Amino acid sequence: MKKILITGGAGFIGSHVVRLFVNKYSGYQIFNLDKLTYAGNLANLKDIENKPNYTFIKGDIVDSEFISKLFSEHKFDAVIHLAAESHVDRSISNPLEFVMTNVIGTVNLLNAAKTIWQPSTGNNGRFYHVSTDEVYGTLGETGLFTEATAYDPHSPYSASKASSDHFVRAYHDTFRIDIVISNCSNNYGSYHFPEKLIPLSIYNIKNSKPIPVYGKGENIRDWLFVEDHARAIDVIFHKAKSGTTYNIGGHNEWTNIDLIRLLCKIMDKKLNRAEGESAKLITFVKDRAGHDLRYAIDSTKLQKELGWTPSLQFEEGLEKTVEWFLSNEEWLNNVTSGEYKKYYEEQYTKR
Ligand code: NAD
Ligand code: TYD
């Protein structure tokens, strides 16, 4: 039985990856290592928590001693690394937290992997590092990020992810660790923590609260359904050559304001509101510092070499997502704690 360590499996994307691997591969023992920060929630994995091939471990990737002991105890065959601080606005308030988890945490995992795998002796596991398109910086009105685009991060979040990507490649080049990296565009779907644009807007529309749109809402993001991302990770993990990188994205660009207008339309229908009712909640607020204008991914390499394609049209995926949030009220109420609201009070400053 292969032992696979998935880090950050209690978060948004990680929970989808853990679910996919636990359900699809009964020959893998899946270990989910998560610190359970504000973003980690074991309720995301309720449906698989009792499966025999699933084990949860609470722990911090920044704690090098703990990580080193964990690796020598379990001798994992592979690592799929998703644990991270992931929200750009939080990285602006507290950059160091992002350096600790995203950079130091990643290097701790690489060091532990290097020790148990000893690649120079031919014994090698696979270290799959899950990264973001934000490392490439920002695009103007045209062009797409390819795997050859130079790194140019602008936020403390993207700078910390870029740094971790460099370390993963450095451990491949220097210590011959078998690595793969993927850089994905913005995800959406079930279990998305309601501090990010789509789930926050769903929550606010549902509760008739203002929908905060940064600046003029003209920034563009390229949205991918989270289950399509998890499927891409599965394909890349199993098929990619060591040392390679793949961009993951769905060719699905939306300005924030158009996306929110579409969401308002869907929510009006689902909540039996008059058309245009939810859009009245749109509130333009102070722009994010260093706000990247446009992200757009070219995923041709992944589609051509490994045969992955996105499964859902955005309108369909967004409707499915809205339905999930409306029928999982308890989940939504539980994650919107007092602390969460306090943090966001600052973000709601009307312009
Ligand atoms: P998330 O914030 O929802 O989840 C992160 C998880 O990591 C949480 O469960 C948290 O408890 C855990 N974690 C944080 N610090 C930890 C630590 N020190 N030790 C152990 N666990 C820790 O994030 P997400 O949106 O699911 O993103 C997962 C990964 O995918 C991240 O690496 C992120 O950079 C990358 N990514 C995200 C997106 C996106 O749109 N959300 C897009 C591309 C790539
Ligand atoms: P977000 O979901 O935070 O993802 P990222 O910053 O990683 O792309 O934000 C998506 C876009 O939405 C981004 O351009 C910032 C904008 N945004 C708002 O306009 N209002 C909000 O309340 C949030 C959270 C984001």
Side-chain angles (χ1 to χ4, degrees):
M1 193 131 173
K2 278 201 165 179
K3 290 181 165 187
I4 316 277
L5 177 71
I6 299 182
T7 70
F12 166 47
I13 302 170
S15 63
H16 285 279
V17 175
V18 166
R19 176 176 299 101
L20 177 68
F21 273 65
V22 165
N23 286 331
K24 188 168 171 185
Y25 300 107
S26 55
Y28 291 170
Q29 184 66 35
I30 302 298
F31 294 84
N32 170 16
L33 168 65
D34 200 296
K35 183 182 173 184
L36 300 180
T37 66
Y38 78 95
N41 185 355
L42 288 177
N44 298 359
L45 291 164
K46 257 201 149 41
D47 53 324
I48 58 115
E49 69 187 2
N50 294 322
K51 296 255 176 171
N53 64 336
Y54 172 72
T55 308
F56 174 70
I57 302 163
K58 186 171 187 302
D60 187 346
I61 58 170
V62 178
D63 182 345
S64 59
E65 208 175 303
F66 162 75
I67 291 297
S68 144
K69 274 192 196 142
L70 186 74
F71 274 65
S72 51
E73 182 189 340
H74 292 290
K75 305 261 180 324
F76 301 113
D77 296 289
V79 176
I80 304 178
H81 175 37
L82 296 107
E85 285 294 333
S86 69
H87 189 40
V88 173
D89 294 327
R90 286 180 189 259
S91 81
I92 296 168
S93 319
N94 189 359
L96 198 56
E97 184 94 38
F98 284 66
V99 176
M100 296 310 290
T101 290
N102 299 359
V103 185
I104 309 289
T106 301
V107 175
N108 283 340
L109 292 168
L110 287 165
N111 279 337
K114 174 165 81 72
T115 308
I116 61 160
W117 294 339
Q118 299 180 333
S120 59
T121 66
N123 169 23
N124 219 342
R126 165 152 284 195
F127 193 98
Y128 185 144
H129 181 58
V130 176
S131 192
T132 166
D133 61 354
E134 302 192 27
V135 299
Y136 298 125
T138 184
L139 291 163
E141 280 175 17
T142 58
L144 299 171
F145 296 134
T146 72
E147 289 81 359
T149 303
Y151 277 29
D152 183 23
H154 298 291
S155 72
Y157 164 63
S158 54
S160 68
K161 290 298 291 187
S163 172
S164 65
D165 292 12
H166 289 318
F167 272 104
V168 173
R169 289 197 183 94
Y171 272 61
H172 174 70
D173 294 339
T174 310
F175 304 112
R176 312 313 308 162
I177 293 214
D178 175 335
I179 65 106
V180 282
I181 299 179
S182 57
N183 297 85
C184 188
S185 60
N186 286 63
N187 284 214
Y188 70 98
S190 54
Y191 302 108
H192 204 177
F193 192 83
E195 64 179 353
K196 307 274 172 75
L197 180 68
I198 291 181
L200 176 75
S201 302
I202 294 174
Y203 177 80
N204 285 10
I205 294 169
K206 180 172 173 289
N207 293 294
S208 298
K209 292 178 167 203
I211 310 165
V213 179
Y214 298 168
K216 293 182 182 157
E218 286 168 346
N219 303 70
I220 293 173
R221 297 293 182 264
D222 182 354
W223 294 93
L224 181 71
F225 191 55
V226 64
E227 292 173 36
D228 282 334
H229 187 189
R231 279 194 309 107
I233 289 173
D234 179 17
V235 171
I236 294 166
F237 177 74
H238 287 99
K239 291 191 181 170
K241 278 199 207 120
S242 176
T244 51
T245 295
Y246 287 91
N247 280 353
I248 311 173
H251 289 285
N252 179 43
E253 293 180 49
W254 287 78
T255 61
N256 292 338
I257 191 67
D258 285 349
L259 187 161
I260 288 169
R261 289 209 175 102
L262 172 63
L263 196 56
C264 287
K265 229 171 136 178
I266 296 173
M267 294 284 286
D268 280 342
K269 270 200 205 133
K270 301 282 172 199
L271 297 170
N272 295 318
R273 289 183 183 164
E275 196 174 332
E277 193 61 29
S278 298
K280 289 183 194 157
L281 299 167
I282 293 174
T283 308
F284 291 96
V285 299
K286 202 171 114 209
D287 207 354
R288 172 187 281 172
H291 197 172
D292 286 336
L293 177 67
R294 174 172 168 254
Y295 303 145
I297 276 277
D298 180 351
S299 60
T300 311
K301 181 180 172 194
L302 175 61
Q303 304 207 17
K304 283 206 167 141
E305 288 184 8
L306 305 186
W308 171 91
T309 48
S311 70
L312 278 187
Q313 290 296 315
F314 186 56
E315 285 80 352
E316 193 188 345
L318 199 57
E319 196 166 332
K320 254 178 102 155
T321 302
V322 168
E323 281 164 6
W324 185 88
F325 276 95
L326 294 180
S327 54
N328 285 274
E329 250 193 335
E330 199 193 354
W331 183 91
L332 193 54
N333 292 338
N334 284 347
V335 293
T336 46
S337 67
E339 193 201 354
Y340 164 82
K341 280 182 196 140
K342 199 171 108 210
Y343 173 78
Y344 268 93
E345 269 161 22
E346 290 160 30
Q347 311 286 332
Y348 280 72
T349 330
K350 231 176 165 172
R351 277 200 308 174

